[in-house]
Amino acid sequence: MIRVLAIDDEPLALQQLVAYINKVPYLTLVGQCQSALEAHRILERDTVDAIFCDINMPDLNGMDFVKTLAAPPLVVFTTAYSEYAVEGFKVNAVDYLLKPFGMQDFQRAAQRLKERLSAVPSGQETTSQDDNLFIKTDYRIVKVSIGDIVYVEGMSEYLKIWVTGQAKPLITLLSMKKMEERLPDTFMRIHRSYIINLTKIQEVNKNRVMLQPVVTDGPRESISLPIGDLYKEAFQGYIEGKFLGKKT
């Protein structure tokens, strides 16, 4: 499903736009609003793949609104003024709908969104040949080096991905199982809630693993994570394979 936001300051135009969105089976409406300020609030709290945005709005027009976004979702502009078309494509708009537009025109724009997003599958990330992941977090798609991931923490339907040098984790909608499948064998699940980067281990103490700090320019506190009973044997086998010296 493609998560979309509808923005138009005219109530009737917004109502029509929402009706079109609801008729396309692969689109799901995350929110609808009548100003750029409202749109900012929605984008801060919800994951959005694309926005259908009117250009002529009070305070901040749609074109300028998109330019304020550091990593904007895909954009389809809607407006009654054809002179904005060229400028719209300068900000990499997927399509441009001239009001009044019908369902056929809307479906064309929706199909273009679908084709553009096919480069990033709905599973939230892809692995590239240069050992990076593309993680969908908030309304951005962030490139992360696999080697920089310290550990992954599961929380219900979401994951926290802790990355070297970043004090806050990347939060994405994905299962632990899916994440395990995407990571190389330098990672291991040690608990139902934790996958660790084996290259970041500093110490193993009884039933806990100490990992390198995530942030190195502040207090250097190691990360202590538990080893679950179901994963203890596999983890111990890995440690024994790397062990040097006499075992006690």
Side-chain angles (χ1 to χ4, degrees):
M1 297 292 288
I2 300 174
R3 296 169 59 84
V4 301
L5 171 64
I7 311 167
D8 199 308
D9 66 308
E10 299 176 7
L12 291 179
L14 182 61
Q15 183 180 351
Q16 182 66 72
L17 181 58
V18 168
Y20 286 155
I21 290 170
N22 289 332
K23 289 180 181 179
V24 178
Y26 53 82
L27 298 182
T28 182
L29 184 68
V30 173
Q32 54 181 296
C33 55
Q34 293 181 256
S35 72
L37 181 60
E38 289 180 80
H40 266 299
R41 291 171 183 159
I42 294 172
L43 291 172
E44 285 175 355
R45 71 169 188 262
D46 290 314
T47 300
V48 174
D49 299 311
I51 57 177
F52 288 86
C53 184
D54 184 28
I55 293 178
N56 299 282
M57 295 189 295
D59 300 325
L60 183 66
N61 72 42
M63 199 81 66
D64 291 336
F65 161 64
V66 171
K67 291 176 182 177
T68 68
L69 302 176
L74 297 181
V75 180
V76 174
F77 283 119
T78 65
T79 185
Y81 301 94
S82 59
E83 62 266 25
Y84 284 112
V86 174
E87 189 179 352
F89 286 112
K90 284 182 180 179
V91 295
N92 201 29
V94 174
D95 207 346
Y96 174 93
L97 292 170
L98 184 62
K99 297 179 181 179
F101 54 87
M103 186 61 191
Q104 185 175 355
D105 290 329
F106 181 85
Q107 286 179 317
R108 179 202 69 218
Q111 182 62 32
R112 288 182 176 175
L113 281 176
K114 186 177 181 181
E115 291 169 358
R116 183 77 66 89
L117 283 168
S118 66
V120 182
S122 58
Q124 307 297 319
E125 80 294 316
T126 60
T127 305
S128 68
Q129 293 180 349
D130 57 348
D131 295 327
N132 296 306
L133 292 177
F134 288 91
I135 307 295
K136 186 178 293 183
T137 179
D138 298 324
Y139 57 91
R140 305 171 296 145
I141 296 175
V142 180
K143 180 180 178 181
V144 176
S145 172
I146 292 175
D148 287 341
I149 297 174
V150 179
Y151 70 102
V152 178
E153 180 180 357
M155 50 175 196
S156 187
E157 298 178 344
Y158 290 83
L159 298 180
K160 289 182 179 179
I161 302 172
W162 294 89
V163 179
T164 297
Q166 297 187 25
K168 295 182 179 180
L170 299 173
I171 299 177
T172 188
L173 178 62
L174 194 67
S175 69
M176 289 286 279
K177 181 176 174 57
K178 291 268 189 176
M179 192 66 180
E180 275 188 285
E181 293 172 353
R182 297 300 180 104
L183 291 170
D185 57 10
T186 50
F187 287 78
M188 179 178 287
R189 190 166 183 175
I190 62 163
H191 188 275
R192 64 184 179 86
S193 298
Y194 298 107
I195 300 170
I196 65 168
N197 185 338
L198 297 169
T199 69
K200 305 294 185 181
I201 295 175
Q202 286 187 322
E203 181 182 330
V204 179
N205 189 349
K206 295 183 179 179
N207 292 325
R208 301 194 75 82
V209 178
M210 308 295 288
L211 302 178
Q212 295 174 10
V214 172
V215 180
T216 58
D217 58 356
R220 296 175 62 86
E221 296 183 4
S222 297
I223 300 156
S224 177
L225 299 177
I227 304 170
D229 291 338
L230 292 176
Y231 307 92
K232 190 179 299 182
E233 184 177 349
F235 182 72
Q236 188 62 37
Y238 167 79
I239 295 298
E240 290 179 356
K242 301 289 185 180
F243 195 84
L244 293 177
K246 185 178 180 180
K247 297 178 184 179
T248 58

